[in-house]
Amino acid sequence: MLRLYNSLSRQIEEFQPIQPPHVGMYTCGPTVYQYAHIGNFRAYMTADILVRVLKHNNYDLKFVMNITDVGHLVSDADSGEDKLEKSAKKEGKTAWDIAELYTDAFLKDYDALGLTRPDVLAKATDHVQEQIDLIKRLEAKGFTYIISDGVYFDTSKLADYGKLSTLDQIKEGARVEINEEKRNPRDFALWKFSEPKGTGPFDSAQAVRGSEEPPGSRRGDAVSRRHMEWESPWGVGFPGWHIECSAMSMKYLGETFDIHTGGVDHISIHHTNEIAQSEAATGKKFVDYWVHTAFMLVQGQKMSKSLGNTYKLSDLVGNGYLPVHLRYLYLQTHYRQEMNFTWESLEAAKTALERLTNSVAMWDKGEGEVSKKFEEKFLMALNDDLNTPRALAVVWELMKSDIKPGQKRATLLKMDEVLGLGLQRAGKKPDFVKTTTGKQEAIPEVVQSLLDERTRVRAQQDFQRSDELREQIRGLGYDVQDSPSGPSLKKL
Ligand code: AMP
Ligand code: ZN
């Protein structure tokens, strides 16, 4: 029986899905205005472990994640610039280009870390109509009001607003910048106008392009005009950040669903507001279980772009580490505990993992059955609120035990379905590839040596050379795919 800490009740609960064996889970995805750092990926790692544990418990999971490509403002209090539009200005691109660039970069790292892809990956800009429809529902029920810069949610109209967090936390967030026109300091934007009423050179009744128009086109001489904007019943603008998650999660998972995940920083504003909008619109409970990941720290401070203390996955790879070393490092700390990143701890994770993979390679010849005793102990640790450090302790207990090597190997590989450490083929060269017909085929020596060369230059952060080598390999009929345990090849 799986037990999870639920931020809503502030206690550990037995997990009971609404319609077993089906489980619906939504994860707040990245805001794609810059590269994601390894702190961000910690939150997705928790989601991945939860996904794998649910599958191990034989649940039939539908996993949805969003990509925030519009509407997330610099300040969580709905003021300041849109993060994507700001990056676009800085990089001399359009917001559409920025979204594409950083979505691709995100997914590349996501795959390299062996994180399970969601069944639905939903972009906010592809769901503007759903967001408008939800705002209309809220408007019809009297939860909204309009001020000069947008349509707002009136939090005083919802009796249990803020049940996910203490009011102090919410005030803290809302204090960032005060909008004098808001009725209550904690009210938040559902729809923002491109130009606040009465201030801009544009009349919002003018026709403007919608999302289907080619990205990057600008209107006339409107230098300060946003790249992303849509028509709405209230005026031309863009959705607020929170509404996208309510609209998309309910579209794909129903008005009430099982699990919602994200980082702890989302509790006081983003998730509080998701609950408010959704429950105000439907009159039903929005989500049963809220799972939040604690921060990754660097020298005692939150890893964040604004503090300039972030590391990207490519920084780690550049220093000679594989994505799978970071995966092991994540597993060593329980997701509800803060985790301090140091190069020493990454090195220690690498050493530990190498010991594991070397053993598995050494035991290669043996045959054996999965040890029920160790498998059960392992699953019990994970079912206890995803206790990955304890699950790793079971792995090492197995390693030291006196059961037969073949059995150890079989048990470890079974455990690796959840750990995702690539033990099956870790440390081995990809000397065979699957062809499109599913047959195995030896890799030509020339391709193998180009692949080795690419691994070497990547470790030196020479990504230009690495890309050239990838192209060369492509020319020989193979596609290089990076994975947690190193590169693999696919025949084209
Ligand atoms: P964002 O792209 O800013 O919306 O954040 C993506 C995810 O990363 C969210 O779930 C955040 O809560 C989470 N996050 C941001 N910084 C950290 C950190 N230092 N440690 C762990 N999670 C983080
Ligand atoms: Zn969200």
Side-chain angles (χ1 to χ4, degrees):
M1 174 62 87
L2 173 62
R3 293 155 42 129
L4 289 173
Y5 180 85
N6 188 350
S7 306
L8 198 56
S9 64
R10 295 174 187 79
Q11 57 192 12
I12 293 188
E13 295 177 20
E14 275 187 6
F15 176 65
Q16 259 152 3
I18 301 161
Q19 277 185 324
H22 302 286
V23 173
M25 168 168 153
Y26 183 89
T27 291
C28 280
T31 306
V32 285
Y33 69 111
Q34 61 190 9
Y35 293 107
H37 55 69
I38 60 174
N40 299 136
F41 279 108
R42 185 178 188 213
Y44 306 118
M45 178 68 181
T46 304
D48 177 59
I49 293 298
L50 182 49
V51 163
R52 290 169 185 255
V53 167
L54 286 166
K55 288 183 180 168
H56 234 71
N57 281 287
N58 297 318
Y59 286 116
D60 180 9
L61 179 69
K62 182 165 181 190
F63 173 31
V64 180
M65 188 166 86
N66 69 304
I67 297 281
T68 298
D69 53 2
V70 69
H72 194 170
L73 303 189
V74 170
S75 154
D76 277 348
D78 297 318
S79 60
E81 278 180 281
D82 185 313
K83 290 186 178 190
L84 270 99
E85 300 270 345
K86 190 179 171 191
S87 270
K89 253 185 231 161
K90 212 169 83 194
E91 299 190 24
K93 297 185 167 108
T94 70
W96 296 101
D97 294 337
I98 291 290
E100 193 183 329
L101 174 71
Y102 292 111
T103 302
D104 289 350
F106 172 77
L107 291 175
K108 228 166 135 186
D109 286 355
Y110 190 93
D111 290 343
L113 281 166
L115 302 170
T116 311
R117 282 275 189 129
D119 301 300
V120 180
L121 187 64
K123 289 184 186 175
T125 53
D126 286 339
H127 297 79
V128 173
Q129 191 55 50
E130 286 85 345
Q131 297 176 70
I132 290 174
D133 291 345
L134 188 55
I135 302 169
K136 279 198 212 155
R137 269 173 93 176
L138 290 168
E139 187 175 46
K141 287 192 160 188
F143 283 101
T144 66
Y145 61 93
I146 298 176
I147 57 178
S148 61
D149 74 345
V151 181
Y152 280 75
F153 183 93
D154 188 341
T155 53
S156 68
K157 295 261 166 76
L158 194 68
D160 61 356
Y161 177 80
K163 60 187 171 185
L164 190 62
S165 48
T166 66
L167 289 184
D168 273 0
Q169 279 177 313
I170 301 172
K171 252 205 303 218
E172 192 68 36
R175 214 186 286 140
V176 186
E177 227 167 283
I178 293 164
N179 180 338
E180 298 286 338
E181 289 180 67
K182 286 204 281 190
R183 288 186 190 163
N184 313 289
R186 289 177 272 131
D187 292 355
F188 55 91
L190 297 165
W191 186 263
K192 295 258 326 193
F193 302 131
S194 289
E195 296 285 345
K197 296 256 194 258
T199 62
F202 298 94
D203 170 11
S204 56
Q206 272 181 275
V208 293
R209 77 191 139 74
S211 60
E212 69 284 353
E213 294 252 341
S217 59
R218 280 174 177 272
R219 290 179 64 233
D221 54 2
V223 183
S224 66
R225 194 85 200 179
R226 292 175 54 86
H227 298 131
M228 292 176 167
E229 58 186 1
W230 294 264
E231 293 258 33
S232 84
W234 312 280
V236 174
F238 56 99
W241 172 35
H242 318 300
I243 196 79
E244 70 172 82
C245 286
S246 290
M248 298 192 290
S249 62
M250 292 200 285
K251 170 171 180 174
Y252 296 108
L253 298 170
E255 293 185 343
T256 304
F257 59 91
D258 300 300
I259 307 173
H260 195 312
T261 81
V264 282
D265 55 332
H266 285 344
I267 295 177
S268 61
I269 299 179
H270 183 52
H271 290 166
T272 288
N273 293 344
E274 273 187 47
I275 293 175
Q277 302 159 151
S278 309
E279 300 192 351
T282 66
K284 295 179 198 158
K285 190 177 184 191
F286 177 42
V287 171
D288 281 340
Y289 301 87
W290 287 88
V291 175
H292 289 106
T293 303
F295 281 141
M296 176 181 264
L297 309 178
V298 182
Q299 287 168 342
Q301 282 185 301
K302 179 191 167 187
M303 180 178 284
S304 78
K305 208 72 190 176
S306 53
L307 293 171
N309 62 357
T310 63
Y311 294 106
K312 300 189 294 287
L313 187 61
S314 59
D315 297 327
L316 271 51
V317 172
N319 277 329
Y321 295 97
L322 292 171
V324 76
H325 299 144
L326 176 61
R327 223 185 133 92
Y328 190 93
L329 185 67
Y330 285 139
L331 291 170
Q332 286 179 305
T333 310
H334 186 250
Y335 77 95
R336 281 197 292 123
Q337 238 154 15
E338 286 180 342
M339 164 184 178
N340 201 34
F341 176 79
T342 63
W343 290 103
E344 290 75 25
S345 59
L346 184 61
E347 181 63 28
K350 178 182 175 183
T351 306
L353 184 58
E354 278 170 356
R355 270 181 61 199
L356 266 187
T357 51
N358 289 343
S359 304
V360 175
M362 216 167 65
W363 295 329
D364 213 345
K365 308 276 177 323
E367 296 259 315
E369 279 182 16
V370 174
S371 154
K372 281 273 164 283
K373 180 185 121 193
F374 280 103
E375 196 201 359
E376 265 165 34
K377 212 168 165 186
F378 176 79
L379 193 59
M380 246 169 68
L382 291 167
N383 277 348
D384 183 8
D385 194 27
L386 311 180
N387 197 327
T388 54
R390 220 172 77 209
L392 281 183
V394 177
V395 166
W396 288 101
E397 199 186 313
L398 168 74
M399 291 283 287
K400 290 191 193 110
S401 74
D402 50 13
I403 64 171
K404 287 198 267 343
Q407 211 184 350
K408 277 189 190 171
R409 182 172 189 274
T411 312
L412 268 176
L413 293 183
K414 180 85 186 153
M415 290 171 169
D416 202 35
E417 287 172 14
V418 178
L419 302 174
L421 297 170
L423 294 179
Q424 180 86 51
R425 53 166 304 278
K428 281 195 241 165
K429 280 187 181 167
D431 42 8
F432 285 94
V433 282
K434 268 213 179 90
T435 64
T436 37
T437 57
K439 275 203 214 112
Q440 296 242 309
E441 197 176 271
I443 298 170
E445 197 140 336
V446 54
V447 174
Q448 184 64 61
S449 68
L450 287 172
L451 188 66
D452 290 345
E453 170 73 358
R454 181 173 174 275
T455 305
R456 201 180 58 75
V457 300
R458 273 176 79 80
Q460 295 167 348
Q461 265 189 304
D462 188 350
F463 297 113
Q464 198 185 332
R465 178 84 188 114
S466 151
D467 284 346
E468 284 167 15
L469 287 161
R470 177 200 286 272
E471 278 314 301
Q472 260 178 287
I473 296 169
R474 243 190 122 71
L476 294 166
Y478 295 86
D479 189 29
V480 183
Q481 292 176 333
D482 292 306
S483 81
S485 49
S488 67
L489 291 175
K490 202 176 130 225
K491 197 150 189 234
L492 292 168

